[in-house]
Amino acid sequence: MRRFCPSCWAENEPRATVCAACGATLDETGKDFVAKMIDAVGHPEPTRAGIAIEVLGQRLREPRAVDALIARLKRRGDYMEITADAARALGAIGDRRAVPALIELLADPDRALVARIAAAEALGTLDDPGASHALKAALAASGLPYRLREAIQQVLAQRDGGS
């Protein structure tokens, strides 16, 4: 069995109390369930991170998770489904702090299409003028992939009648 450090995700011996890599304590007895789930958002194993993202975003809609979800969303080279799940979770939580990170993801042509579509859908759920503006600006941009253009049009139609 591997024991991961919740600070740096280095592997440690099962009985270790301090991380061999970073020196952080491995004792999590003072943390509540949500704090442990927030730590797990950064887990290197995508299934563990994905479960934490799902629980915090879609099920609990936990505002304490926003910063961790934004950090995961910004990871370059991450699994595209994890990035998309983080975007969806941020949309479900509905916190305006996520708007700049979601706009950045939406506008980045080097990111996976599924993640950019999830960012557009998340922006559509947020009551923020910047989100609306970003969706309309993206729609006006040239070279936008067809599926992303279609998703943005659908989001705008649901959001405000397509205006």
Side-chain angles (χ1 to χ4, degrees), residues 106 134-142 144 148-150 152-153 156 162:
L106 172 66
L135 288 166
K136 291 173 185 173
L139 196 56
S142 62
L144 196 66
L148 182 55
R149 178 176 303 283
E150 195 174 63
I152 293 170
Q153 288 171 334
L156 288 171

Side-chain angles (χ1 to χ4, degrees), residues 74-154:
K74 289 185 171 192
R75 282 190 185 180
R76 305 291 268 161
D78 205 355
Y79 298 89
M80 68 180 171
E81 275 303 323
I82 294 296
T83 304
D85 288 347
R88 289 184 199 103
L90 287 165
I93 293 169
D95 191 307
R96 289 176 153 180
R97 292 178 291 160
V99 170
L102 290 167
I103 290 171
E104 185 179 322
L105 175 58
L106 172 66
D108 189 343
D110 294 330
R111 302 297 293 271
L113 183 60
V114 67
R116 294 176 71 196
I117 290 170
E121 291 167 349
L123 285 166
T125 67
L126 299 172
D127 183 25
D128 184 276
S132 229
H133 177 73
L135 288 166
K136 291 173 185 173
L139 196 56
S142 62
L144 196 66
Y146 173 77
R147 300 235 11 233
L148 182 55
R149 178 176 303 283
E150 195 174 63
I152 293 170
Q153 288 171 334
Q154 185 175 19

Side-chain angles (χ1 to χ4, degrees), residues 28-47:
E28 295 188 283
T29 55
K31 290 186 176 182
D32 66 6
F33 173 76
V34 170
K36 290 177 183 178
M37 287 278 95
I38 291 170
D39 285 346
V41 167
H43 203 286
E45 292 182 358
T47 52

